[in-house]
């Protein structure tokens, strides 16, 4: 038997990074999103559907978020996004797969669709960070990956520079789905869910194309601080 490759832990530089590239103590210290949460949007609740989902239900039916978007996960994701640590896609995909497979409210999924990136931005960046994770998760879970049915047809400014109201306005009509998704259960994969405006708009587009069930699988969810 070959010895397991010794990987350096990306966080503490110990030689115990193992297959994931993050050592056990550092893994334990990550900002896992394990608080009781709204099954629909992933925000903290008593475990039932939250008030805002009841008042204005989003177009997606469920959310699975691996981490809260806090240190050091925020830094890891920023590195990952700019391709400095592309192998992190494996780590994120493995951890998110485990979380979804262990979930008590997992749903049968027919297709995985990564958050589409506009062609102009794809050219600038060279890769779609959501697609890389979605591809690996499709392999892990034996679910068909679909990154072609749905396109981002409008170029929008980076969402981080916008207020919530501006985000919702700027994201309207951004996606186009060229194929029928009649009767399909779909999981959307994205790196960070902030307000959920993009995922909501994408879910809306997929439902208009016939999708029955749409859920969000995200690496990290921005959670409002309790103070
Ligand atoms: Zn470590
Ligand atoms: Zn909710």
């Amino acid at each position: 038997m070959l010895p397991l490759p010794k990987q350096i832990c990306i966080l503490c530089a110990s030689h115990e990074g193992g297959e994931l590239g993050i050592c056990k103590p550092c893994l334990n210290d990550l900002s896992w999103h394990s608080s009781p949460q709204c099954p629909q949007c992933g925000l903290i609740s008593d475990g039932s559907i939250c008030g805002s989902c009841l008042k204005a239900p989003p177009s997606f039916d469920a959310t699975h978020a691996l981490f809260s978007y806090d240190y050091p996960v925020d830094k890891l994701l920023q590195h990952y996004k700019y391709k400095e640590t592309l192998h992190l896609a494996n780590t994120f995909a493995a951890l998110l797969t485990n979380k979804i497979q262990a979930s008590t409210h997992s749903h049968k999924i027919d297709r995985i669709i990564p958050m589409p990136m506009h062609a102009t931005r794809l050219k600038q960046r060279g890769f779609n960070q959501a697609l890389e994770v979605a591809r690996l998760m499709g392999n892990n879970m034996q679910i068909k990956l679909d990154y072609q049915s749905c396109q981002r047809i409008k170029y929008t400014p980076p969402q981080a520079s916008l207020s919530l109201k501006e985000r919702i306005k700027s994201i309207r009509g951004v996606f186009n789905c060229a194929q029928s998704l009649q009767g399909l259960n779909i999981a959307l994969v994205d790196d960070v869910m902030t307000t959920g405006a993009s995922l909501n708009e994408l879910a809306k587009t997929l439902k208009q194309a016939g999708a029955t069930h749409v859920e969000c699988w995200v690496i990290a969810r921005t959670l409002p601080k309790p103070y």
Side-chain angles (χ1 to χ4, degrees), residues 61-91:
D61 304 283
T63 297
H64 296 272
L66 189 56
F67 300 113
S68 71
Y69 190 62
D70 289 302
Y71 184 83
V73 169
D74 53 354
K75 295 285 173 268
L76 286 178
L77 278 166
Q78 285 156 20
H79 281 289
Y80 169 55
K81 204 165 174 165
Y82 294 98
K83 224 180 169 172
E84 294 160 57
T85 45
L86 197 51
H87 66 271
L88 272 175
N90 290 305
T91 307

Side-chain angles (χ1 to χ4, degrees), residues 9 12 14 23 26:
C9 171
C12 72
S14 80
C23 74
C26 287

Side-chain angles (χ1 to χ4, degrees), residues 38 40-42 50 52-53:
C38 169
Q40 193 161 5
C41 72
C50 74
S52 74
C53 285

Side-chain angles (χ1 to χ4, degrees), residues 28-42:
N28 286 336
D29 282 347
L30 295 180
S31 50
W32 300 93
H33 183 22
S34 48
S35 324
Q37 56 197 267
C38 169
Q40 193 161 5
C41 72

